[in-house]
Amino acid sequence: MLTITQALVDQIVAHARQDHPDEACGVIAGPEGTGRPERFVPMQNAAMSPTFYEFDSGDLLKLYREMDDRDEEPVVVYHSHTSTEAYPSRTDVSLASEPNAHYVLVSTADTDGLGDFQFRSFRIVDGEVTEEEVTVVETY
């Protein structure tokens, strides 16, 4: 189960809407071993694509060094889907390299604000996708 604050959910959704029609992507870092997402780190989609996301390798290296220095780990890896449901694609599954991370997907297919968009979380380990419950809290 992913427990996440409303403020972080709002930041992910705002980033996804801001980058639409391209996919948005980023990480939420947290203290090592806690599983608690705390620090929102929006990343630029180096692919600049509505159907694919890619972290810039230099930005990603910088982020991992920063997390090492702060005794953090990637608790959430998120991205948006702009025209499909919030479910990991085959490409998403093949690129999932953090077995302890929660993979959050947001669908921005409905951008006029009139319909529900999807905010879902998954574990992806060895190519196996498992959806998990998301609990949104005000504070930890």
Side-chain angles (χ1 to χ4, degrees), residues 22-37:
D22 290 337
E23 290 192 3
C25 57
V27 172
I28 302 179
E32 273 187 25
T34 66
R36 190 175 63 236

Side-chain angles (χ1 to χ4, degrees), residues 1-105:
M1 175 174 67
L2 170 63
T3 301
I4 188 170
T5 64
Q6 184 66 57
L8 289 171
V9 169
D10 293 345
Q11 287 178 296
I12 291 170
V13 171
H15 184 205
R17 286 185 170 160
Q18 174 189 338
D19 283 10
H20 188 87
D22 290 337
E23 290 192 3
C25 57
V27 172
I28 302 179
E32 273 187 25
T34 66
R36 190 175 63 236
E38 291 185 354
R39 188 168 63 92
F40 178 71
V41 185
M43 305 284 282
Q44 182 175 356
N45 179 353
M48 295 175 59
S49 168
T51 59
F52 180 74
Y53 81 97
E54 180 179 23
F55 292 121
D56 176 270
S57 59
D59 290 346
L60 197 58
L61 179 60
K62 178 182 172 191
L63 172 61
Y64 272 81
R65 286 182 175 159
E66 197 176 88
M67 287 190 298
D68 281 345
D69 291 344
R70 297 171 64 130
D71 294 324
E72 292 176 327
E73 62 187 353
V75 177
V76 170
V77 177
Y78 74 87
H79 76 281
S80 61
H81 282 181
T82 61
S83 60
T84 60
E85 72 172 316
Y87 190 85
S89 68
R90 286 189 307 265
T91 303
D92 296 339
V93 173
S94 70
L95 295 175
S97 61
E98 292 290 343
N100 295 322
H102 303 271
Y103 285 87
V104 167
L105 281 97

Side-chain angles (χ1 to χ4, degrees), residues 13 16-17 20-21 80-86 106-118:
V13 171
R17 286 185 170 160
H20 188 87
S80 61
H81 282 181
T82 61
S83 60
T84 60
E85 72 172 316
V106 174
S107 175
T108 58
D110 178 7
T111 59
D112 63 4
L114 298 176
D116 292 335
F117 65 92
Q118 299 172 337

